[in-house]
């Protein structure tokens, strides 16, 4: 009888110990949730709140236009990233603030700008004017702006577009009729006098003569 009581008493002691641990864990859960709530108020968590789009605005759907965000420029040939607004592209839309970066985007150094590119939901547009750019040989500021663009083209800097929180893909044909798609595309291409260019610009090299600088979607 005493042996049974001893075992029972030991069991009760162990059970009580685990109950104390569980209570401590339960008490810590509200603190953890409060910490997560403060983070959620600071950073936007993608895919939490879906957005509905429609061709014509209604009472339940008001989003008929998709904005295009641009991220920083990066390159596999250089470790230095550049802000999109540093170069003489078509101006970004300063009246619209891009969505707040989430924690991962902040840690990776992403910096978004809202462009003046607009896409209307379910409406095809072949060509639309975005902005005008004029350069003269005698203008030093113009020449410096062009030289900066040529430099990042030579170093194969890439643009990153985002639409509805999803990256825009650049697809090129490869062997066996397959496509290779990436989430970036070149700022531009240089085609030398022999018609040679970077591999990702082969798709446009056949449309122009040699010794030409091409700026893609700026």
């Amino acid at each position: 009888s005493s042996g049974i009581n001893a075992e029972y008493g030991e069991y009760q002691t162990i059970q009580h110990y685990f109950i104390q641990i569980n209570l401590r864990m339960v008490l810590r859960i509200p603190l953890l949730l409060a910490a997560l709530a403060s983070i959620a108020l600071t950073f936007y968590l993608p895919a939490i709140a879906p957005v509905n789009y429609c061709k014509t605005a209604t009472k339940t759907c008001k989003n008929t236009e998709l904005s295009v965000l641009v991220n920083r420029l990066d390159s596999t040939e250089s470790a230095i990233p550049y802000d999109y607004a540093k170069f003489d592209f078509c101006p970004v839309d300063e009246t619209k603030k891009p969505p707040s970066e989430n924690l991962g985007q902040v840690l990776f150094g992403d910096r978004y700008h809202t462009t003046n590119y607009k896409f209307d939901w379910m409406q095809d547009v072949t060509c639309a004017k975005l902005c005008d750019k004029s350069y003269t040989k005698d203008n030093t500021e113009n020449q410096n702006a062009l030289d900066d663009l040529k430099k990042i083209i030579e170093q194969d800097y890439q643009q990153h577009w985002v639409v509805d929180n999803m990256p825009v893909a650049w697809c090129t044909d490869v062997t066996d009729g397959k496509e290779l798609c990436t989430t970036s595309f070149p700022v531009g291409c240089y085609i030398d006098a022999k018609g040679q260019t970077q591999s990702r610009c082969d798709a446009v090299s056949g449309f122009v003569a040699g010794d030409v600088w091409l700026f893609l979607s700026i």
Side-chain angles (χ1 to χ4, degrees):
S1 175
S2 60
I4 296 175
N5 289 335
E7 292 179 1
Y8 181 77
E10 182 180 359
Y11 172 75
Q12 289 281 56
T13 302
I14 295 174
Q15 185 182 41
H16 181 65
Y17 175 73
F18 279 110
I19 289 175
Q20 286 183 335
I21 292 179
N22 290 335
L23 288 175
R24 290 172 184 172
M25 292 177 65
V26 170
L27 290 175
R28 290 176 182 176
I29 288 176
L31 298 177
L32 178 60
L33 292 176
L36 291 176
S38 63
I39 296 175
L41 292 175
T42 307
F43 298 101
Y44 166 69
L45 300 177
I48 295 299
V51 179
N52 294 326
Y53 294 93
C54 48
K55 189 174 183 179
T56 304
T58 63
K59 292 182 179 180
T60 58
C61 178
K62 300 183 181 300
N63 299 300
T64 61
E65 185 180 85
L66 291 89
S67 299
V68 178
L69 303 181
V70 288
N71 199 356
R72 62 192 172 97
L73 308 176
D74 58 15
S75 170
T76 57
E77 299 183 11
S78 174
I80 303 175
Y82 289 110
D83 190 279
Y84 182 90
K86 172 181 173 62
F87 299 94
D88 196 29
F89 300 137
C90 287
V92 297
D93 190 349
E94 299 290 351
T95 63
K96 293 184 178 180
K97 292 184 178 181
S100 301
E101 289 90 356
N102 59 48
L103 181 58
Q105 291 167 336
V106 171
L107 294 177
F108 278 103
D110 292 341
R111 294 294 180 269
Y112 290 97
H113 295 281
T114 302
T115 69
N116 286 305
Y117 289 100
K118 306 297 178 186
F119 294 109
D120 293 321
W121 186 253
M122 296 183 67
Q123 294 187 25
D124 295 332
V125 177
T126 303
C127 184
K129 180 180 177 180
L130 184 64
C131 69
D132 290 321
K133 289 288 182 180
S134 299
Y135 301 93
T136 59
K137 293 182 179 180
D138 299 331
N139 189 308
T140 303
E141 185 177 351
N142 288 168
Q143 291 304 307
N144 290 338
L146 285 175
D147 289 341
D148 289 340
L149 287 171
K150 291 178 180 179
K151 180 179 178 181
I152 60 175
I153 290 175
E154 288 178 345
Q155 296 180 345
D156 196 29
Y157 270 85
Q158 306 290 310
Q159 298 191 61
H160 299 266
W161 286 13
V162 176
V163 176
D164 193 27
N165 207 39
M166 296 294 293
V168 174
W170 163 283
C171 298
T172 54
D173 294 329
V174 293
T175 58
D176 300 330
K178 297 181 180 179
E179 284 187 333
L180 175 64
C181 296
T182 60
T183 57
S184 64
F185 62 93
V187 172
C189 303
Y190 171 67
I191 302 174
D192 62 22
K194 297 181 180 179
Q196 301 296 318
T197 185
Q198 295 104 323
S199 59
R200 297 185 69 187
C201 294
D202 289 341
V204 298
S205 61
F207 296 95
V208 295
D211 196 21
V212 173
W213 296 86
L214 296 178
F215 301 101
L216 304 178
S217 300
I218 63 173

